[in-house]
Amino acid sequence: MKEVIAIIAKKKQEFARLPLFDFLANKKIHPRQRLIFSPVLAPLALELSDLNKYVLRESGSNNPVQELLNKHTYKESYYWHSCLENLEKLGLNQSISYGDLRFLWGEETNKTRSLCSVLERLAFQAPPLQKLVLAEVLEVTAKVFFDAVLRVAMEIQDIPKKERAYLGGGYLRLENHRIFNHPEMQHVLSESNISDREWQESLELAETVFYLVTEAMDELLENAQTNSCNTVLQVA
């Protein structure tokens, strides 16, 4: 268990250093250019919400790990609802144009668009431990990604300081209720008869999910660097 937790922590640090996040933090580039991929945000949040509700959740299970994961999915549903509300407040969840549809279903967003489908295949009928690990990796990567997006979006919108603190707090709350670190889950895992092979398979799954999400992030960066929103670069 400690090895899986350590790997997820290490991979999270590597994920946070991806070139996309340096790009998003670069205030010499107009914020609308940095968020040129914004049409994918709301669909991505909706797909992750569905993954949480319909794949990771397994009603009626008497497995202790799955039972705790089920409870957690309801908290996650609230998070994704808040995420969509925040995108709306920040002007990143607007009506989709024909051009947006071409972008969403174009080859240039293939990895981002197919991310949740691949994750669903990995999680479908997977044992509870693997679902737990998948949920944990999604949480840590979502926190890093949407927090970075939020910071850029607040450069565009004239949002009062108090409101900015509230919006940012939503992502902080996600970090605070991560399921793997919950004392009750730690106790259940320590008491469960989980084989070394099961832990190894979960470890491999964690690395696979980080790899898939990283591919999607690299694709978003490539789009932002090769497409123009016809804005003028800001000069520091």
Side-chain angles (χ1 to χ4, degrees):
M1 178 171 64
K2 291 181 179 180
E3 184 178 2
V4 173
I5 293 174
I7 285 293
I8 291 176
K10 177 176 179 290
K11 289 290 185 180
K12 179 191 174 183
Q13 293 177 350
E14 293 174 359
F15 182 80
R17 294 195 294 268
L18 289 178
L20 173 66
F21 303 116
D22 289 333
F23 177 82
L24 290 174
N26 187 354
K27 293 189 176 182
K28 292 183 179 180
I29 303 172
H30 195 284
R32 294 193 184 279
Q33 179 64 43
R34 282 177 273 159
L35 292 182
I36 196 171
F37 54 77
S38 62
V40 311
L41 296 177
L44 180 60
L46 285 169
E47 289 173 353
L48 289 170
S49 177
D50 283 350
L51 176 70
N52 176 70
K53 289 187 292 185
Y54 302 122
V55 182
L56 297 180
R57 186 182 303 165
E58 187 179 330
S59 301
S61 173
N62 59 3
N63 181 285
V65 174
Q66 184 65 57
E67 287 178 340
L68 288 179
L69 181 57
N70 287 345
K71 292 179 183 178
H72 184 73
T73 61
Y74 289 98
K75 295 179 182 179
E76 281 292 280
S77 293
Y78 173 78
Y79 163 70
W80 289 115
H81 178 73
S82 299
C83 178
L84 288 168
E85 285 186 342
N86 289 348
L87 292 175
E88 183 77 33
K89 290 176 183 177
L90 295 168
L92 299 177
N93 189 16
Q94 300 174 347
S95 298
I96 295 178
S97 67
Y98 175 68
D100 291 336
L101 288 173
R102 291 184 61 186
F103 176 70
L104 286 171
W105 273 268
E107 186 62 31
E108 65 266 40
T109 56
N110 177 56
K111 291 177 181 177
T112 307
R113 185 177 64 254
S114 62
L115 174 63
C116 286
S117 296
V118 177
L119 294 176
E120 285 176 10
R121 290 197 294 271
L122 290 173
F124 182 66
Q125 295 185 338
L129 179 61
Q130 290 190 21
K131 286 186 177 181
L132 171 66
V133 169
L134 191 150
E136 178 77 1
V137 174
L138 286 181
E139 283 186 11
V140 298
T141 52
K143 200 275 178 185
V144 172
F145 174 64
F146 282 103
D147 184 61
V149 167
L150 179 71
R151 291 177 186 276
V152 181
M154 288 193 295
E155 294 178 32
I156 302 173
Q157 300 292 328
D158 184 18
I159 301 175
K161 187 175 182 179
K162 183 178 180 181
E163 181 75 0
R164 289 185 179 212
Y166 170 77
L167 291 172
Y171 300 88
L172 181 61
R173 286 190 291 274
L174 173 68
E175 181 77 1
N176 289 340
H177 77 253
R178 282 171 50 194
I179 186 170
F180 221 122
N181 291 335
H182 194 281
E184 189 175 4
M185 180 61 80
Q186 291 282 305
H187 175 72
V188 167
L189 290 172
S190 65
E191 294 293 318
S192 298
N193 186 22
I194 301 174
S195 67
D196 290 342
R197 179 179 177 181
E198 289 175 300
W199 280 117
Q200 181 60 36
E201 290 173 347
S202 298
L203 183 65
E204 292 171 0
L205 176 64
E207 294 185 341
T208 296
V209 176
F210 270 111
Y211 174 78
L212 292 170
V213 179
T214 296
E215 279 198 321
M217 298 298 100
D218 290 343
E219 182 180 72
L220 293 179
L221 174 62
E222 183 178 356
N223 283 317
Q225 291 178 325
T226 57
N227 296 304
S228 174
C229 64
N230 296 318
T231 54
V232 179
L233 296 184
Q234 297 175 336
V235 179

